[in-house]
Short mmCIF file of all heavy atoms in Angstrom, two decimals:
data_model
loop_
_atom_site.label_atom_id
_atom_site.label_comp_id
_atom_site.label_asym_id
_atom_site.label_seq_id
_atom_site.Cartn_x
_atom_site.Cartn_y
_atom_site.Cartn_z
N CYS C 512 12.17 -7.42 -16.25
CA CYS C 512 13.23 -8.44 -16.26
C CYS C 512 12.71 -9.85 -15.96
O CYS C 512 11.94 -10.05 -15.02
CB CYS C 512 14.29 -8.06 -15.23
SG CYS C 512 15.58 -9.28 -15.05
N ILE C 513 13.12 -10.82 -16.76
CA ILE C 513 12.76 -12.22 -16.49
C ILE C 513 13.95 -13.00 -15.94
O ILE C 513 13.95 -14.23 -15.91
CB ILE C 513 12.17 -12.92 -17.73
CG1 ILE C 513 13.14 -12.91 -18.91
CG2 ILE C 513 10.84 -12.30 -18.13
CD1 ILE C 513 12.69 -13.77 -20.10
N ARG C 514 14.98 -12.30 -15.52
CA ARG C 514 16.12 -12.90 -14.83
C ARG C 514 16.81 -14.01 -15.65
O ARG C 514 17.11 -15.08 -15.13
CB ARG C 514 15.68 -13.50 -13.49
CG ARG C 514 15.07 -12.51 -12.51
CD ARG C 514 16.12 -11.58 -11.93
NE ARG C 514 15.60 -10.80 -10.80
CZ ARG C 514 15.04 -9.59 -10.90
NH1 ARG C 514 14.91 -9.02 -12.07
NH2 ARG C 514 14.61 -8.95 -9.82
N CYS C 515 17.07 -13.70 -16.91
CA CYS C 515 17.74 -14.70 -17.74
C CYS C 515 19.25 -14.63 -17.60
O CYS C 515 19.96 -15.58 -17.94
CB CYS C 515 17.35 -14.51 -19.20
SG CYS C 515 18.09 -13.05 -19.95
N GLY C 516 19.74 -13.50 -17.15
CA GLY C 516 21.19 -13.36 -16.95
C GLY C 516 21.98 -13.01 -18.20
O GLY C 516 23.20 -12.86 -18.15
N ALA C 517 21.29 -12.86 -19.34
CA ALA C 517 22.02 -12.59 -20.58
C ALA C 517 22.80 -11.28 -20.53
O ALA C 517 23.88 -11.16 -21.09
CB ALA C 517 21.05 -12.57 -21.77
N CYS C 518 22.23 -10.30 -19.83
CA CYS C 518 22.93 -9.01 -19.79
C CYS C 518 24.24 -9.13 -19.01
O CYS C 518 25.17 -8.37 -19.23
CB CYS C 518 22.03 -7.91 -19.22
SG CYS C 518 21.36 -8.21 -17.58
N ILE C 541 21.57 -5.29 -15.15
CA ILE C 541 20.22 -5.13 -14.58
C ILE C 541 20.30 -4.79 -13.10
O ILE C 541 19.54 -3.97 -12.59
CB ILE C 541 19.33 -6.38 -14.85
CG1 ILE C 541 17.95 -6.25 -14.22
CG2 ILE C 541 19.98 -7.66 -14.34
CD1 ILE C 541 17.07 -5.18 -14.80
N CYS C 571 18.86 -8.19 -24.30
CA CYS C 571 17.76 -8.43 -23.34
C CYS C 571 16.51 -8.94 -24.05
O CYS C 571 15.99 -8.30 -24.96
CB CYS C 571 17.44 -7.14 -22.59
SG CYS C 571 16.02 -7.31 -21.48
N PRO C 572 15.99 -10.09 -23.61
CA PRO C 572 14.83 -10.69 -24.29
C PRO C 572 13.54 -9.89 -24.11
O PRO C 572 12.60 -10.12 -24.85
CB PRO C 572 14.71 -12.06 -23.64
CG PRO C 572 15.37 -11.93 -22.31
CD PRO C 572 16.48 -10.94 -22.52
N VAL C 573 13.50 -9.01 -23.12
CA VAL C 573 12.29 -8.20 -22.96
C VAL C 573 12.57 -6.74 -23.30
O VAL C 573 11.79 -5.85 -22.98
CB VAL C 573 11.68 -8.33 -21.55
CG1 VAL C 573 11.05 -9.70 -21.37
CG2 VAL C 573 12.73 -8.11 -20.47
N ILE C 575 14.59 -4.37 -22.31
CA ILE C 575 14.76 -3.29 -21.33
C ILE C 575 15.89 -2.39 -21.82
O ILE C 575 16.94 -2.87 -22.24
CB ILE C 575 15.10 -3.86 -19.93
CG1 ILE C 575 13.98 -4.79 -19.45
CG2 ILE C 575 15.32 -2.73 -18.92
CD1 ILE C 575 14.29 -5.52 -18.17
N ILE C 577 18.42 -1.00 -20.84
CA ILE C 577 19.28 -0.99 -19.65
C ILE C 577 20.29 0.14 -19.68
O ILE C 577 20.43 0.90 -18.72
CB ILE C 577 20.02 -2.34 -19.51
CG1 ILE C 577 19.00 -3.50 -19.52
CG2 ILE C 577 20.83 -2.37 -18.21
CD1 ILE C 577 19.64 -4.87 -19.53
S1 LIG D 107 17.56 -7.35 -17.79
FE1 LIG D 107 17.03 -8.52 -19.61
S2 LIG D 107 18.93 -9.57 -20.13
FE2 LIG D 107 19.20 -8.88 -18.02
S3 LIG D 107 18.52 -10.61 -16.76
FE3 LIG D 107 16.74 -9.29 -17.06
S4 LIG D 107 15.67 -10.13 -18.82
FE4 LIG D 107 17.75 -10.98 -18.85
#
Side-chain angles (χ1 to χ4, degrees):
Chain C
C512 176
I513 58 172
R514 300 288 191 269
C515 72
C518 57
I541 178 67
C571 176
V573 288
I575 300 173
I577 306 174

